[in-house]
Amino acid sequence: MIEIKKIQDIDAFNYIKTVKGFTETQANDELLFFKVELETTVFLKGKGVSIKGPIFSKFLSGSGITKWLGAFDGEKLVGIHWHSIAYTGNENLSDLKDVFDGQLYADNEDIARELHKEFNRQVKGKFVVNYSFSFPGDDFDLNFMKSLGYTVWATIDWKAKGKKLRTPGTLHFLKRIDEQGEKNKMSAEELKQLKIADLKRQLEELNAWT
């Protein structure tokens, strides 16, 4: 029977090193390229609105709450999965959150699904959007991710920065919407009013000191 438990960074590192037959440097590089991509500046162009910047870096900053989950068959670690939860809009103005997950490695597809099932149980109803990546060379490909409910919302021609452990190809930006989170999602006007109220509060605090 597979049991899912919280694990530490070192456990994930050792799993990658053992399963992939990597050196310590290769295992570190395999885990690092995902983090590098989260910190990379991207340019998203939409109808009337364009966004440029490291929009996913919030999941690695102090505001992001990160966690590794490990799948165990008895005492043996047989799969790992990472996720991080951060505030929607990159600002601590409400209880609304987004989640980013990835780095799914497992001995087989059934274990991968068990990991995602537990991840989903832990975050269900707690986020607006769940983002993810589908990289060239992932153990579980784009079709697998689609089977979990993710959809593609953007793509880029990609090659790993630094050490080239992965073959260049198409990087798919994925997302899925939490039904409860979508119901709780603020409109642009509501978010604007929250920001105005927060600015007024800051001004009042400044005036109190003058």
Side-chain angles (χ1 to χ4, degrees):
M1 180 178 177
I2 300 299
E3 182 181 5
I4 311 298
K5 297 185 289 187
K6 181 179 178 181
I7 61 172
Q8 303 301 316
D9 290 357
I10 188 63
D11 300 312
F13 174 83
N14 287 333
Y15 177 80
I16 290 295
K17 181 182 174 184
T18 301
V19 170
K20 297 286 188 181
F22 284 162
T23 64
E24 289 194 0
T25 299
Q26 288 174 323
N28 186 65
D29 290 339
E30 174 70 13
L31 292 173
L32 186 61
F33 83 84
F34 182 90
K35 179 180 178 181
V36 169
E37 205 60 46
L38 285 175
E39 294 175 331
T40 296
T41 294
V42 296
F43 179 60
L44 302 177
K45 190 174 182 180
K47 295 181 179 179
V49 178
S50 295
I51 300 173
K52 183 178 181 180
I55 61 174
F56 298 127
S57 63
K58 66 181 181 181
F59 294 103
L60 295 174
S61 68
S63 62
I65 301 173
T66 64
K67 182 186 290 187
W68 279 101
L69 294 177
F72 289 84
D73 185 357
E75 296 296 318
K76 182 182 179 183
L77 183 60
V78 292
I80 59 175
H81 177 266
W82 175 92
H83 72 270
S84 176
I85 299 175
Y87 286 96
T88 296
N90 221 12
E91 294 189 43
N92 185 354
L93 291 176
S94 74
D95 290 332
L96 296 178
K97 306 282 178 53
D98 290 330
V99 61
F100 205 109
D101 79 290
Q103 296 190 298
L104 176 61
Y105 303 88
D107 287 8
N108 58 55
E109 185 175 305
D110 289 339
I111 294 171
R113 290 188 182 279
E114 285 299 314
L115 276 164
H116 194 272
K117 181 179 178 181
E118 175 57 21
F119 156 67
N120 196 49
R121 185 193 69 79
Q122 291 190 17
V123 302
K124 189 173 179 60
K126 299 178 182 178
F127 69 88
V128 177
V129 183
N130 176 188
Y131 297 100
S132 191
F133 291 136
S134 179
F135 286 96
D138 275 350
D139 285 2
F140 302 98
D141 64 11
L142 179 60
N143 287 331
F144 177 83
M145 296 299 289
K146 287 181 177 180
S147 77
L148 298 176
Y150 296 89
T151 58
V152 177
W153 61 281
T155 61
I156 61 170
D157 291 328
W158 177 87
K159 64 179 180 179
K161 301 167 183 67
K163 301 293 179 62
K164 305 297 190 292
L165 288 177
R166 298 288 187 102
T167 301
T170 301
L171 169 58
H172 296 86
F173 292 74
L174 309 178
K175 70 176 181 179
R176 63 189 183 114
I177 306 298
D178 183 84
E179 292 181 2
Q180 187 60 43
E182 181 67 12
K183 291 177 183 177
N184 295 332
K185 188 176 181 180
M186 285 187 293
S187 67
E189 181 61 29
E190 288 172 326
L191 183 56
K192 177 182 176 182
Q193 292 303 318
L194 271 177
K195 290 181 178 180
I196 291 172
D198 190 59
L199 286 172
K200 285 181 177 179
R201 178 186 59 78
Q202 292 179 44
L203 287 171
E204 288 172 356
E205 290 176 352
L206 286 172
N207 290 332
W209 288 94
T210 59

